């Protein structure tokens, strides 16, 4: 049986990154225009001060509890486990738990980070909020906290994503945000991020950019990870309460990777806990239509950090593809690039079709409609659980609920709504 | 002395500012670029800033975004761009040329590869939007080892405490981005430009060139009275777009606008003295 264990801190820890300059090994950093650099340094100072301020932690925890609805349950997916065991070799089929980030206010893990960042924005005296969004979950979460704190909010969203995520666009508008359609490039998340950066550089004096994933220039990857690590801390307490031991495997879907790093980070120094990140393989890794930056990309510099990117031999960024708008990004958070590089976390992928199958399987076995993003993680659960013994434990981050995706899924299944 | 240093020194002796003219390499297509570069020289530019196209030009406004799309759509590659520079260098042995762009295309094959290839082509300086002094290591040492000036950017948000770090390892000239924003949009107030240039010149011996939002000969002349160089980009790129869209010769359009800008800059300080 696995027992909770941890490496000593400092150099022997996987949890002491990034360094003072925001580097995770060769990844991360602050690759931004000079105009933004002083602001990034301010943000880092303010974040250090906030981290040392018990009042900041108290307010963050209060809002997570009373507004977001945390802590979340760790749910034993009994019927999913039985279904997997039904066609597994004798004695095989690990016990599958889901950590229910889909139960958060606004329906996904994104809100954890938004609460933390808007508290920082307020500390810094910023009076205007901007954000980019792909699936719209981060946009909704940002619009939500902006409404809660009474700040004007502009959300940049690719025109193509606006088309496939209409319900979330309407939600953002109901919450008082202005949604600006981005027409450049492939009109998805990457282009929305370019446009948000253009807004930010022109409005540095009063604007706070709430980045939605654990990527971008330092200190964003670090602070987003820290805010999302509430996921892993709760999971740790919950699994010890339920099983009296740590899990054997953690699985999470990766776009930028904030839900995954939030789950993984508190366990990085537990050598017996394996971790698996699932990238979006789109129409297949052998096609050009996927979003698997680690499997199909090489290190490069984009959106403020050095990380694995889908790109050509000249460093031009390739368009990503995934049925899930939230995974449709040609990069990945720098800490994942580092964890991949050093081998602490394993990264695989799941295709659109595999995610769709897993989506339907969870609906039917557990009565839970998952978002398409965690459906990629669920796709990997089936194959991993069959290779593991029945006394082993897998925990999957069910990072969001799927109400927003029913139109996309219906279309993929050939159903007219 | 480098071509950039020589040019700025000659212009200082002549008591006038440099016209630093920007075009995106390969816009509207790579075959058109050599004639456009020649037109910049003939029109009276003093330094060419050649944009390396990138899929994600985060610091650029609509004009240069579109130029990047046209260029990449026409098949511009890093190799082609460097070939264009090398050919330019044989036609114009003494004319300074600076590459401007984003980090990823520059570091893709490793900083040493890029620095050596650029030096071989005859590039004098490199401006990289998203490598601030904090990340100098990613490109700076390779450029300096290859004898290429790493031109740094200062902005309205660069305060006095930070300026020495920005100047560390900087070469060629200092590019003052006069507005906090993206290229080709709003223009800064002349008084704020004057104050900023005075502060920068007190901190460095490098020539100071001012850009972002400079569109007309009058604006260029006003800046030329106080700065060592005036950078004009989007206004020239717009001319190329218009000419290309209407089937006219982009090189002729470039020659015309650069002539007007150069004339305004050449007489700027005389008018003030008169």
């Amino acid at each position: 049986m696995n027992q909770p264990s941890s490496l000593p801190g400092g150099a022997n820890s996987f949890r002491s990154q990034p360094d003072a300059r925001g580097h995770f090994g060769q990844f991360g950093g602050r690759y931004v225009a000079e105009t933004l650099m002083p602001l990034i340094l301010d943000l880092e100072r303010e974040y250090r001060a906030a981290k040392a301020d018990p009042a900041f932690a108290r307010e963050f925890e209060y809002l997570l509890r009373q507004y977001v609805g945390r802590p979340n349950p760790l749910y034993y997916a009994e019927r999913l486990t039985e279904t997997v065991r039904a066609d597994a070799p004798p004695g095989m089929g690990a016990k599958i738990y889901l950590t229910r980030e889909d139960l958060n206010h606004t329906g996904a893990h994104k809100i954890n980070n938004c609460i933390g960042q808007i508290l920082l924005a307020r500390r810094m005296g910023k009076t205007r909020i901007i954000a980019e969004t792909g699936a719209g979950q981060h946009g909704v979460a940002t619009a939500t906290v902006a409404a809660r704190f009474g700040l004007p909010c502009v959300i940049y969203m690719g025109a193509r994503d606006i088309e496939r995520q209409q319900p979330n666009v309407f939600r953002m508008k109901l919450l008082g945000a202005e949604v600006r359609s981005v027409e450049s490039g492939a009109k998805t998340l990457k282009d929305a991020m370019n446009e948000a950066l253009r807004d930010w550089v022109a409005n540095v004096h009063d604007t706070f950019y709430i980045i939605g994933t654990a990527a971008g220039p330092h200190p964003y990857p670090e602070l987003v990870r820290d805010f999302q690590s509430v996921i892993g801390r709760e999971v740790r307490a919950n699994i010890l309460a339920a099983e009296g031991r740590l899990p054997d495997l953690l699985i999470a879907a990766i776009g930028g990777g904030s839900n995954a790093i939030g789950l993984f980070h508190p366990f990085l120094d537990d050598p017996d806990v394996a971790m698996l990140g699932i990238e979006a393989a789109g129409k297949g890794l052998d096609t050009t239509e996927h979003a698997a930056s680690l499997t199909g990309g090489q290190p490069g510099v984009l959106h403020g950090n050095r990380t694995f990117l889908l790109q050509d031999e000249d460093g031009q960024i390739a368009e990503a593809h995934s049925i899930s708008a939230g995974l449709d990004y040609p990069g990945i958070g720098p800490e994942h690039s580092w964890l991949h590089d050093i081998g602490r976390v394993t990264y695989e992928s799941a295709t659109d079709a595999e995610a769709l199958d897993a989506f339907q399987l969870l609906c039917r076995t557990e009565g839970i409609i998952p978002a398409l993003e965690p459906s990629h993680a669920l796709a990997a659960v089936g194959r991993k659980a069959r290779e593991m013994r029945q006394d082993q434990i897998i925990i999957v981050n069910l990072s969001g609920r799927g109400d927003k995706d029913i139109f996309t899924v219906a279309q993929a299944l050939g159903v007219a709504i | 002395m480098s071509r950039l240093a020589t040019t700025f020194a000659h212009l200082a002796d002549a008591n006038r500012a440099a016209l630093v003219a920007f075009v995106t390499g390969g816009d509207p297509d790579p075959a058109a670029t050599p004639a456009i570069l020649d037109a910049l020289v003939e029109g009276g530019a003093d330094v060419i800033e050649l944009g390396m196209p990138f899929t994600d030009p985060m610091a650029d406004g609509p004009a240069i975004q579109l130029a990047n799309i046209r260029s990449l759509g026409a098949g511009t590659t890093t190799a082609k761009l460097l070939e264009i520079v090398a050919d330019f260098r044989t036609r114009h042995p003494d004319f300074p040329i600076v590459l401007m762009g984003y980090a990823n295309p520059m570091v893709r094959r490793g900083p040493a590869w890029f620095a050596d290839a650029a030096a071989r082509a005859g590039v004098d300086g490199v401006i990289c939007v998203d490598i601030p002094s904090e990340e100098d290591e990613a490109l700076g040492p390779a450029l300096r080892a290859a004898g290429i000036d790493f031109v740094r950017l200062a902005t309205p948000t660069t305060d006095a405490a930070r300026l020495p770090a920005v100047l560390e390892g900087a070469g060629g000239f200092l590019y003052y981005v006069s507005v906090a924003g993206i290229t080709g949009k709003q223009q800064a107030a002349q008084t704020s430009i004057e104050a900023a240039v005075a502060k920068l010149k007190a901190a460095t011996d490098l020539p100071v060139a001012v850009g972002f939002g400079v569109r007309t000969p009058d604006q260029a002349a006003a800046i030329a009275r106080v700065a060592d160089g005036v950078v004009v980009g989007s206004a020239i790129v717009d001319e190329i777009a218009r000419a290309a869209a209407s089937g006219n010769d982009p090189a002729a359009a470039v020659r015309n606008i650069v002539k007007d800008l150069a004339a305004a800059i050449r007489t700027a300080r005389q008018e003030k003295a008169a």
Side-chain angles (χ1 to χ4, degrees), chain A residues 185-390:
Chain A
K187 307 172 188 181
T188 62
L189 181 54
K190 162 175 89 89
D191 313 290
M193 200 151 181
N194 290 336
E195 211 52 39
L197 284 165
R198 289 182 187 118
D199 179 312
W200 199 24
V201 83
N203 297 288
V204 272
H205 55 289
D206 68 352
T207 297
F208 192 97
Y209 181 10
I210 297 188
I211 293 183
T213 193
H218 176 65
Y220 280 100
E222 177 186 344
L223 67 86
V224 173
R225 174 198 73 199
D226 291 349
F227 293 141
Q228 290 294 3
S229 289
V230 65
I231 301 172
R233 285 195 304 271
E234 284 180 11
V235 164
R236 196 180 180 91
N238 285 336
I239 196 68
L240 289 174
E243 298 277 351
R245 68 176 187 94
L246 293 180
D248 298 281
L249 177 63
L250 304 173
I251 304 183
I254 310 249
S258 71
N259 88 81
I261 203 71
L263 173 62
F264 295 168
H265 196 260
F267 293 93
L268 285 176
D269 286 338
D270 297 297
D272 296 331
V273 179
M275 299 173 201
L276 178 61
I278 302 296
E279 296 191 293
K283 295 182 178 169
L285 293 180
D286 52 346
T287 73
T288 54
E289 294 182 70
H290 64 78
S293 326
L294 289 176
T295 321
Q298 297 87 31
V301 176
L302 182 70
H303 293 154
N305 59 154
R306 189 175 151 81
T307 192
F308 275 82
L309 300 172
L310 299 179
Q311 55 181 324
D312 72 9
E313 69 283 0
D314 267 350
Q316 306 297 349
I317 308 302
E319 301 295 352
H321 166 84
S322 170
I323 191 171
S324 143
L327 305 181
D328 199 346
Y329 180 70
I332 182 169
E335 193 159 15
H336 287 294
S337 288
W338 176 70
L339 291 167
H340 167 71
D341 222 28
I342 62 169
R344 176 62 187 95
V345 177
T346 304
Y347 295 86
E348 294 178 4
S349 62
T351 63
D352 288 352
E354 290 168 330
L356 272 171
D357 287 346
F359 176 100
Q360 297 171 80
L361 181 65
L362 195 72
C363 290
R364 288 193 312 265
T365 56
E366 296 293 347
I368 296 172
I369 301 177
L372 280 170
E373 290 80 14
S375 295
H376 287 71
L378 292 165
V381 169
R383 61 185 191 235
K384 289 295 155 190
R386 283 179 182 83
E387 296 165 4
M388 292 167 66
R389 295 188 316 272
Q390 294 195 355

Side-chain angles (χ1 to χ4, degrees), chain B residues 108-136:
Chain B
R108 179 68 177 94
R109 296 176 177 90
W113 180 91
F114 176 70
D116 292 346
R120 267 200 311 279
V123 168
D124 301 296
V126 166
I127 304 172
C128 184
V129 174
D130 50 350
I131 299 187
S133 49
E134 278 75 4
E135 301 293 345
D136 181 74

